[in-house]
Amino acid sequence: MEFVELPTKNHTLVDVYDELENSVYAHWNSEDFPYNIDGLVLQALPDGRDTVPQDPAYENPKDKVAVKFTKGAHPAFIGAIEWKLGKHDKLTPVLVLENPVEIDGTSVQRISASNYSLLNEAGLGIGAHIGVVKSGDIIPFVKEVYTPSYEGLELPLCPCCQMLAGLSDSRVDAVCVNNACEGTTLVQLQRAFDVFNIDFVSDATIETLVKHGHDSLEKIWALQEPDLKALEGFGDKSARYIVTALSKVSLTEAQVVKLAGLKGIGERKAIMLLDAYGSLDSALADIAKNGMRKIDGFGPIQMALVSSHIDRIRTMRDRLQALNIPIRSHRAAATDAPEVCCTGTCIVDGVKYGRTELEKILAESGYKMVSSVTKACDMVICESPEGNSSKLKMARKKGLPIKTYEDFFHDSLQQDISPAP
């Protein structure tokens, strides 16, 4: 530990900050110091001591203050702009520097940006002279624009179909306007598989399937093991895994709404919508007849979006049902929901469920997941009742019911995991 003595006087906060930055931080952040730092931790010493007492009381973080210092920006020039097609046909820009810059020991040449309008207003086109820093010492971004682009910034071409992009209704984003763009189909399928949450089926896997003509949910669900094994990069195990995993996919009604792809209507908004209407069927019927009613959390634009595109949600539900994908009925969160504590790995019918997904399934089925076996806990579900985890030991001590994940899913959640009619 190194101590630096400041001149004895009454310091204002500004005085202390300047003194620390100009003396301590400037020295330690120089090339003479072997480590990269981004700030200091201050601790006042009691009773005029010149060393920290060897006492656990002085190791408490609340007795210390972290001071961060702003790092200077690294100058660079934009050499190119790449555009990536994303959700809702949006084209997202990536700035490519003419030459990489070294920041905190790493080489930075690519900087993700936000949207076309922001770049255009800031003059962030080819040739722009900029200052680059790292946000939180991790993510590079443009802190300053020294000289705007001499070329300006025109609307880009879609990287997938090479058609000239247009502006979104908000005049903020560049968007692909080609309804037949294969890239749009690919992105939609990739986002759908994000919702399906199948391990080891990556965006690259979906891209391979689309390249071979399997460009819809119906075509992918129709694939059999021999079809997959015939594709480059697929072997016996991967083909068998994908076919099996597809047969195990099940969804909530909120996920069905999300899969319809309405801008701004993700799973959280979908749950709010279904809480208000009670079920997906009720929502579809009521909104189609009367338009969407006012719900806290939905603004006029989102309400109009749902009302005018309710058929997209119905069509998605019908497609999923035609594929025999189980759709679990929506249940609004209950304040007096039974509390369930989980321990061990949850595997049901060969499908592994992570804690986040398991908590969501339980909540949608009227249960509340808790992290420990408390007085209010009603049940413990586990991988094996014979296990010796602390949660199982406490459950036995308290005389609580103990069920395996298999039994719990097939008994308590039977109505929620059966195929939709």
Side-chain angles (χ1 to χ4, degrees), residues 251-280:
L251 300 169
T252 66
E253 290 188 332
Q255 288 173 320
V256 173
V257 175
K258 180 179 179 179
L259 283 169
L262 303 185
K263 188 173 183 180
I265 311 298
E267 195 165 347
R268 184 178 66 86
K269 287 283 189 179
I271 290 172
M272 294 166 61
L273 179 73
L274 296 174
D275 280 348
Y277 284 94
S279 70
L280 182 56

Side-chain angles (χ1 to χ4, degrees), residues 338-386:
E339 295 189 1
V340 176
C341 186
C342 302
T343 182
T345 304
C346 176
I347 300 177
V348 180
D349 296 332
V351 178
K352 181 179 178 181
Y353 296 88
R355 278 293 187 268
T356 301
E357 186 179 10
L358 180 58
E359 183 176 13
K360 186 182 298 183
I361 292 173
L362 288 169
E364 291 159 352
S365 302
Y367 295 87
K368 177 182 179 182
M369 180 191 286
V370 294
S371 59
S372 58
V373 183
T374 63
K375 291 182 179 179
C377 185
D378 296 288
M379 182 186 301
V380 173
I381 51 178
C382 61
E383 189 174 358
S384 170
E386 289 74 37

